[in-house]
Amino acid sequence: MLKISPELAISVAAQNDLVRADLPTRFASITIVSLLSLFFLPATVLGAVYLAYAVTEIVGVLVYRMLAREVTWRGIVLFSTSAFLGVWIFNLIPLLLFLEQDPFLKMIGAMLLIIALNHCVVARATWIFFGFLTTIPIICVVGFIIVSFLREFATPAEMVTTAIITVIGAAYMLHALWTQHRLTARLRGALEEAEAGSRAKSRFLAAMSHEIRTPLNAICGMSELIDEENKDRPLLQERSKLLRTSALALAGILDDVLDHAKIEAGLMELSLAAAAPAVEIRSAIEMFRASAEEKGLRLEFTIDESLPAYAECDALRLRQVIGNLLSNAVKYTDKGQVTVHASAATEGDHAIIEVKVADTGRGMTPEQTERLFQDFYRAVDKNAPTVPGTGLGLSIARQFARMMNGDITLTTSPAKGSCFTFTCRVQVLEVTALSGTNPPTQDTIFTDLGVRSILLVDDTASNRLVVRSFLKDFDLDLIEACNGADALAILDHSSVDLVLLDMKMPVMDGQDTLLAMTARGGRIAATPVVMLTANAAPEDRELFLSLGAVGYIAKPVRKAQLLTEIQRVAAAHGHKPIETRQSPRTGT
């Protein structure tokens, strides 16, 4: 059987979508015309025409659905036939009106045909054959009307002149249809190229993210260990601190670029889950205490009791927005303080969380404020030190705030500081609905991780070295494997308490390894798996968790982050770590 070319399939599918979208307006218009025509035409004749047209449209709906699933020759023939018959049936109404003796009705009939011709040029030019198929019958009826009108009084010379003008008009109409078709094809091609370019950019950024995060993991891990193990060597500590800070800044830039690309492509979605807003806000604040103290700034915060104990929200994006506001406040404040106040207003089963971040920094001019939330814009003060950054953070933060049904607003004055107000809407959850969920505690030191054996699966030696160094002070057996196949061979003969699994590996990657562990069942399937991967997108996390992983950490990995996740998984699977609690930190 003759194969349908890709170009034909694309044209037919696009025309099908357009005609299907136009159906409600088209059918309503013809219904109104039919009702108005009842004043001038016999009801039985008009009813028969309308019924035939309705049947044609019903058949068309079935054909539209068929082509939406797959473009086949059978669907193309039915699509063309139903449209061709529908046009001829519609032509009967203006033709019947024209055949009446009243000049007004003749004019109405001609007007309906002109409108139909215009509709064909605008809405039926995507697939050019379809456009010609539905336009030519209307041109034929127009020609019939012209000839029948002129033959009563026109001379042969006038008839010839009219015929020439009619042919020119028909040719112009068909040329307009062809021109519209070419423009539509070019626009469709440009759209496909733009979408392909966007997909290619997303793939490139994802690949770049993975490749950059792998060496970043080694840089961050080793610098943290150098700093930790050489406290008696101030110069070495200073250099390792600079190394780690720079690596984390690079990781932050990478995250901003990826988030911006996803938002630009319309692919960013929130991941809603139960969380404790007060805990998440406090966690975001404490991340910047060290950097504030380094600059001699006071970092103070108050968390109002009006905040709900638990709410459904995207905790990661909540912390990210607050973290961005705090990061800017610390960076742009040279002396004084940064204060944070969090509160909430209840609206039924929802709450509006409000977080104010105020500083005593440089402040901004009205001109700077107007452009502050634009992509890549940075407020520059020639009399102050240059502050590093991409200029994407605030733009991304406001996008997230608006995705959470809130916003970020600003009050500021030059040399007097700024106050950013972040609001978001969350659904309040009852404590009883959270079956034993407890918020994480602050400043807890675990002298035992709660596991006795861990299988580390990663093909990159530097990544394994970082994890091995992070865990060297704990009494546990760390078994290493370079890919999923080696890991499964180890699990077949040995039992471990936890698996730390990378995603991209030769021979067998992380996804196939998770599926294979589940397929084996029993002890192996029950072994908890924490993903330790450079695949850092939210959809990657959702994919891994849906495949059976119980935890997820994106590289570069921080030591405290890794230990906390191991402790959490161990506790969830019945292993209780020994812990020593320090006194909780106050709000200053």
Side-chain angles (χ1 to χ4, degrees):
M1 187 175 182
L2 186 62
K3 187 177 180 181
I4 299 174
S5 68
E7 293 79 8
L8 176 60
I10 292 172
S11 295
V12 171
Q15 185 66 70
N16 180 62
D17 291 340
L18 189 58
V19 174
R20 182 173 55 178
D22 179 58
L23 174 61
T25 305
R26 184 174 69 248
F27 193 78
S29 300
I30 292 175
T31 300
I32 294 172
V33 168
S34 300
L35 291 174
L36 292 175
S37 300
L38 284 172
F39 291 100
F40 313 108
L41 299 176
T44 53
V45 174
L46 197 59
V49 172
Y50 184 79
L51 179 62
Y53 180 80
V55 170
T56 304
E57 289 287 19
I58 292 171
V59 173
V61 169
L62 300 177
V63 176
Y64 302 156
R65 293 177 179 175
M66 180 191 305
L67 288 176
R69 290 192 298 269
E70 183 183 5
V71 177
T72 62
W73 282 116
R74 179 169 176 265
I76 292 174
V77 171
L78 289 174
F79 184 48
S80 305
T81 304
S82 63
F84 184 73
L85 291 175
V87 169
W88 274 114
I89 294 171
F90 165 77
N91 284 342
L92 290 174
I93 297 177
L95 184 60
L96 289 171
L97 288 171
F98 182 83
L99 292 176
E100 295 292 317
Q101 295 300 316
D102 190 340
F104 173 74
L105 297 182
K106 293 181 181 296
M107 182 191 70
I108 294 297
M111 287 176 58
L112 288 176
L113 290 173
I114 292 171
I115 293 171
L117 282 172
N118 181 68
H119 174 268
C120 287
V121 172
V122 173
R124 305 207 168 192
T126 303
W127 179 26
I128 191 62
F129 172 77
F130 187 84
F132 287 156
L133 187 71
T134 52
T135 302
I136 290 174
I138 302 175
I139 293 176
C140 292
V141 174
V142 171
F144 170 78
I145 287 176
I146 293 173
V147 170
S148 62
F149 178 71
L150 291 178
R151 69 179 181 181
E152 298 177 0
F153 59 86
T155 65
E158 290 173 335
M159 291 290 288
V160 170
T161 303
T162 302
I164 293 173
I165 294 174
T166 303
V167 170
I168 292 174
Y172 176 77
M173 183 63 66
L174 294 175
H175 180 266
L177 188 69
W178 172 253
T179 302
Q180 181 74 7
H181 164 72
R182 287 193 302 169
L183 289 174
T184 302
R186 287 174 59 187
L187 287 173
R188 188 169 64 245
L191 177 61
E192 291 172 356
E193 289 178 4
E195 291 176 343
S198 178
R199 289 192 297 269
K201 182 178 71 172
S202 298
R203 288 194 298 270
F204 166 74
L205 289 172
M208 182 184 72
S209 169
H210 184 277
E211 296 307 314
I212 290 178
R213 287 177 189 278
T214 297
L216 266 178
N217 188 55
I219 294 170
C220 293
M222 288 298 101
S223 61
E224 187 172 354
L225 290 167
I226 291 170
D227 189 17
E228 184 180 276
E229 297 174 2
N230 294 274
K231 296 184 183 296
D232 57 335
R233 302 173 64 181
L235 182 59
L236 188 59
Q237 276 189 281
E238 181 182 356
R239 291 175 178 174
S240 66
K241 185 176 183 180
L242 176 61
L243 178 66
R244 186 169 70 254
T245 303
S246 300
L248 291 175
L250 180 58
I253 292 171
L254 181 62
D255 288 337
D256 281 350
V257 171
L258 291 172
D259 284 343
H260 179 264
K262 293 193 70 174
I263 291 172
E264 191 179 52
L267 300 176
M268 182 63 74
E269 295 180 357
L270 296 178
S271 179
L272 301 179
V279 172
E280 302 299 341
I281 294 171
R282 186 180 295 111
S283 172
I285 294 170
E286 291 299 339
M287 287 184 63
F288 294 91
R289 184 169 297 280
S291 56
E293 291 174 350
E294 285 176 12
K295 297 185 67 173
L297 304 175
R298 296 193 309 278
L299 177 57
E300 301 177 350
F301 67 88
T302 54
I303 297 181
D304 196 84
E305 293 182 356
S306 59
L307 279 174
Y310 293 97
E312 184 179 66
C313 62
D314 189 328
L316 173 64
R317 301 309 177 188
L318 180 69
R319 293 194 304 270
Q320 184 173 345
V321 173
I322 297 171
N324 179 269
L325 300 181
L326 272 167
S327 173
N328 286 337
V330 171
K331 285 191 295 186
Y332 288 95
T333 303
D334 298 321
K335 60 181 180 179
Q337 65 182 20
V338 175
T339 59
V340 183
H341 176 71
S343 60
T346 303
E347 295 182 353
D349 60 348
H350 287 77
I352 305 297
I353 295 178
E354 181 182 83
V355 180
K356 291 181 177 289
V357 179
D359 62 63
T360 56
R362 307 173 189 176
M364 283 170 282
T365 64
E367 293 77 15
Q368 290 173 323
T369 303
E370 186 177 349
R371 300 179 58 195
L372 188 62
F373 293 96
Q374 294 178 5
D375 292 345
F376 303 106
Y377 176 76
R378 299 176 62 220
V380 178
D381 185 349
K382 295 180 180 179
N383 300 317
T386 301
V387 175
T390 61
L392 286 173
L394 276 176
S395 171
I396 293 171
R398 172 171 267 189
Q399 292 273 11
F400 284 144
R402 290 177 174 176
M403 288 173 67
M404 292 184 275
N405 298 311
D407 204 352
I408 296 177
T409 55
L410 166 67
T411 56
T412 184
S413 179
K416 293 184 179 180
S418 304
C419 179
F420 286 84
T421 301
F422 160 52
T423 58
C424 66
R425 182 181 178 88
V426 299
Q427 182 174 355
V428 179
L429 300 178
E430 297 294 335
V431 177
T432 54
L434 297 173
S435 63
T437 301
N438 294 312
T441 56
Q442 296 291 317
D443 301 311
T444 301
I445 298 176
F446 290 84
T447 58
D448 177 71
L449 296 179
V451 295
R452 291 291 170 263
S453 58
I454 294 177
L455 173 58
L456 172 61
V457 190
D458 197 311
D459 63 313
T460 305
S462 61
N463 289 337
R464 298 199 303 273
L465 175 60
V466 169
V467 175
R468 187 165 64 245
S469 302
F470 282 165
L471 300 177
K472 67 182 180 59
D473 293 330
F474 295 93
D475 182 21
L476 56 82
D477 293 329
L478 183 65
I479 307 169
E480 298 182 22
C482 295
N483 56 65
D486 292 346
L488 291 173
I490 293 171
L491 289 172
D492 284 336
H493 300 93
S494 304
S495 176
V496 297
D497 296 330
L498 176 67
V499 176
L500 299 177
L501 182 63
D502 186 27
M503 176 57 189
K504 287 191 176 180
M505 297 178 292
V507 184
M508 179 181 284
D509 63 17
Q511 182 172 336
D512 289 340
T513 304
L514 278 172
L515 294 173
M517 289 179 64
T518 302
R520 274 169 162 75
R523 170 183 57 80
I524 295 177
T527 304
V529 177
V530 173
M531 301 303 298
L532 214 61
T533 174
N535 290 49
E539 58 267 25
D540 292 323
R541 180 180 185 276
E542 294 172 6
L543 172 63
F544 299 140
L545 296 181
S546 68
L547 291 174
V550 297
Y552 167 89
I553 301 176
K555 296 172 182 174
V557 180
R558 305 291 298 275
K559 181 177 180 180
Q561 182 186 24
L562 176 63
L563 300 185
T564 300
E565 186 67 5
I566 293 175
Q567 294 158 2
R568 183 192 68 79
V569 173
H573 286 76
H575 303 284
K576 267 206 164 183
I578 303 168
E579 57 184 74
T580 303
R581 297 181 185 274
Q582 297 179 346
S583 58
R585 188 186 293 275
T586 62
T588 59

